[in-house]
Amino acid sequence: MAFAPQLKIPATYMRGGTSKGVFFHLLDLPEKAQQPGSYRDNLLLRIIGSPDPYQKHTDGMGGATSSTSKTVILSKSEKENYDVDYLFGQVAIDKAHIDWSGNCGNLTAAVGAFAINNGLIEPSRIPRNGIAEVRIWQVNIQKAIIAHVPITNGEVQETGDFELDGVTFPAAEVKIEFIDPADGEGALFPTGNLVDTFDVPGVGSLEATFINAGIPTIFVNANAIGYKGTELQDDINSDANALARFETIRAHGAVKMGLIKDLGEAATRQHTPKIAFVSPATSYTASSGKEVQADDIDLCVRALSMGKLHHAMMGTAAVAIGTAAVIPGTLVNKAAGGDVRESVTFGHPSGTLQVGAAAQKNNDQWQVEKVIMSRSARILMEGWVRTPPVEA
């Protein structure tokens, strides 16, 4: 029996922040995949290696974690005053599903470099030496992002001495500005409150801060759900009951935020909202063995992504953390000591991260001008990805 040959598609495998993903120029995809729909989804699923009942991604480019099961499609921006359109797809590991509902803040760090290397940026905007400001339109959430990409001798500078907890080796620093990161269609606080009390069947009554900044996020206090806030991945991910409880809280929170109409929809919207738990600054040993001292951080935060505790921190969740931290009265701000601040340093399972935010209150409504953080990025491999043909 004759079988069709594999497809050969230009692609770049990149690390951005604490994530990895397969990057594509829109026009390099097969024509049928240049438009959203089932063919595009099926193609990307096959490239990543999903769905995989073994949850290993052995037959694909994915890494079998939420941080490494990602795809990015970039193109010249169709919007005036922007350089590149950035579309992100979070690929489920054990399901035939790609969640297009949110952004990946970590991979954002690699978008500028890819855009420059693939001719998506006007040469006049790239200095011979210095910093190239890449104006990104994030298609998933319809928001602006500015990436400050270091340039040396006309080329993207990837090597450097910037260290990012959660990434083993140092690299060049890439500053990212998330402009007006609040949900454009709804309020920063969708319930109208900085803190809500909501009842979760089987869990109990919880205080929570619901926020739409960077990515819809639910914050709860660690001690309210039986944790210290210093837990590492295995402490949570090895406990099936704990993961089920977090998903129950997340699903009910999604309804509370108006993201879904009924609980059944949560299973097909795993990427958003995120759920995180916070606690006051406490010393602990990070997953790398690094000692994190309470005096060096403002609070501890742990967050789940795609049903599992993240090994470090999602970039978009860091935007939510930074935003909530500078607004007095939120659970994040209270965990950080309740002070008025312009930045926050928090402890996560791999170490620490500092995030700056500018927020102000106008007519009893909080608004966020921008959130800033530093990441790093580099090309891991470039060339072509091979994949068997797929059907629409």
Side-chain angles (χ1 to χ4, degrees), residues 157-200:
Q157 175 72 42
E158 295 184 307
T159 56
D161 58 5
F162 174 72
E163 295 185 353
L164 178 64
D165 286 340
V167 177
T168 306
F169 303 106
E173 180 180 10
V174 179
K175 290 187 177 180
I176 306 293
E177 292 183 76
F178 298 85
I179 309 300
D180 183 23
D183 185 349
E185 296 182 359
L188 178 61
F189 298 99
T191 66
N193 303 313
L194 299 180
V195 177
D196 283 273
T197 299
F198 79 121
D199 295 320
V200 182

Side-chain angles (χ1 to χ4, degrees), residues 34 40 47 54 69 106 122 124 166 251 271 284 307 311 319 327 338:
Q34 292 178 22
R40 172 189 283 180
I47 288 170
Y54 304 106
S69 185
N106 275 300
E122 293 297 327
S124 62
H271 184 47
Y284 65 96
H311 75 285
V319 172
I327 297 177

Side-chain angles (χ1 to χ4, degrees), residues 4 25 41 73 113 135 152 177 207 227 234 254-255 332 357 367 376:
H25 187 312
D41 283 14
I73 301 173
R135 302 165 301 185
T152 301
E177 292 183 76
E207 283 192 325
Y227 294 112
D234 286 348
V255 174
V332 180
Q367 295 178 331
S376 62

Side-chain angles (χ1 to χ4, degrees), residues 300-375:
C300 295
V301 190
R302 302 296 188 262
L304 282 80
S305 178
M306 300 296 284
K308 297 290 182 69
L309 187 72
H310 196 276
H311 75 285
M313 183 54 62
M314 305 81 82
T316 47
V319 172
I321 294 165
T323 301
V326 301
I327 297 177
T330 68
L331 294 186
V332 180
N333 178 267
K334 290 179 179 180
D339 299 327
V340 175
R341 59 180 65 248
E342 295 181 351
S343 67
V344 66
T345 299
F346 62 87
H348 56 71
S350 293
T352 66
L353 178 64
Q354 183 178 45
V355 184
Q360 59 184 359
K361 196 173 186 179
N362 294 318
N363 298 323
D364 294 327
Q365 295 291 326
W366 281 98
Q367 295 178 331
V368 187
E369 178 185 344
K370 61 183 176 181
V371 175
I372 304 173
M373 72 181 77
S374 289
R375 319 302 275 167

Side-chain angles (χ1 to χ4, degrees), residues 35-330:
Q35 300 296 324
S38 59
Y39 181 81
R40 172 189 283 180
D41 283 14
N42 290 339
L43 180 69
L44 297 178
L45 282 163
R46 190 65 185 88
I47 288 170
I48 293 297
S50 290
D52 183 359
Y54 304 106
Q55 300 193 43
K56 300 296 183 185
H57 277 158
T58 305
D59 198 27
M61 295 294 294
T65 69
S66 67
S67 302
T68 56
S69 185
K70 300 174 181 282
T71 60
V72 170
I73 301 173
L74 299 176
S75 59
K76 273 189 172 293
S77 184
E78 297 180 355
K79 291 186 68 70
E80 188 176 359
N81 298 323
Y82 291 90
D83 300 306
V84 60
D85 286 345
Y86 160 36
L87 180 66
F88 167 69
Q90 178 71 57
V91 183
I93 298 169
D94 57 350
K95 300 181 180 67
H97 178 68
I98 299 181
D99 194 328
W100 301 100
S101 67
N103 178 31
C104 175
N106 275 300
L107 288 188
T108 299
V111 169
F114 181 96
I116 292 170
N117 291 331
N118 285 269
L120 296 173
I121 310 299
E122 293 297 327
S124 62
R125 292 188 50 76
I126 306 171
R128 176 70 179 169
N129 292 285
I131 301 294
E133 290 190 359
V134 179
R135 302 165 301 185
I136 301 165
W137 181 249
Q138 215 299 321
V139 178
N140 304 76
I141 59 174
Q142 299 287 289
K143 287 293 180 179
I145 302 170
I146 300 175
H148 300 264
V149 182
I151 304 293
T152 301
N153 297 327
E155 297 184 350
V156 174
Q157 175 72 42
E158 295 184 307
T159 56
D161 58 5
F162 174 72
E163 295 185 353
L164 178 64
D165 286 340
V167 177
T168 306
F169 303 106
E173 180 180 10
V174 179
K175 290 187 177 180
I176 306 293
E177 292 183 76
F178 298 85
I179 309 300
D180 183 23
D183 185 349
E185 296 182 359
L188 178 61
F189 298 99
T191 66
N193 303 313
L194 299 180
V195 177
D196 283 273
T197 299
F198 79 121
D199 295 320
V200 182
V203 177
S205 182
L206 296 175
E207 283 192 325
T209 290
F210 301 99
I211 190 169
N212 280 327
I215 201 164
T217 305
I218 305 162
F219 291 105
V220 299
N221 288 320
N223 60 8
I225 52 175
Y227 294 112
K228 295 180 180 179
T230 58
E231 287 74 16
L232 302 184
Q233 272 194 303
D234 286 348
D235 297 325
I236 305 296
N237 295 344
S238 61
D239 187 342
N241 291 330
L243 295 177
R245 185 171 56 161
F246 276 115
E247 180 59 20
T248 298
I249 298 171
R250 192 188 75 88
H252 283 270
V255 174
K256 185 86 170 177
M257 297 179 79
L259 298 173
I260 59 176
K261 294 181 180 179
D262 62 71
L263 296 176
E265 296 178 48
T268 57
R269 192 183 172 118
Q270 289 185 306
H271 184 47
T272 58
K274 301 301 186 188
I275 180 167
F277 53 101
V278 300
S279 65
T282 305
S283 299
Y284 65 96
T285 303
S287 57
S288 64
K290 173 183 178 179
E291 295 297 328
V292 177
Q293 302 299 325
D295 289 343
D296 295 331
I297 56 177
D298 299 304
L299 77 162
C300 295
V301 190
R302 302 296 188 262
L304 282 80
S305 178
M306 300 296 284
K308 297 290 182 69
L309 187 72
H310 196 276
H311 75 285
M313 183 54 62
M314 305 81 82
T316 47
V319 172
I321 294 165
T323 301
V326 301
I327 297 177
T330 68

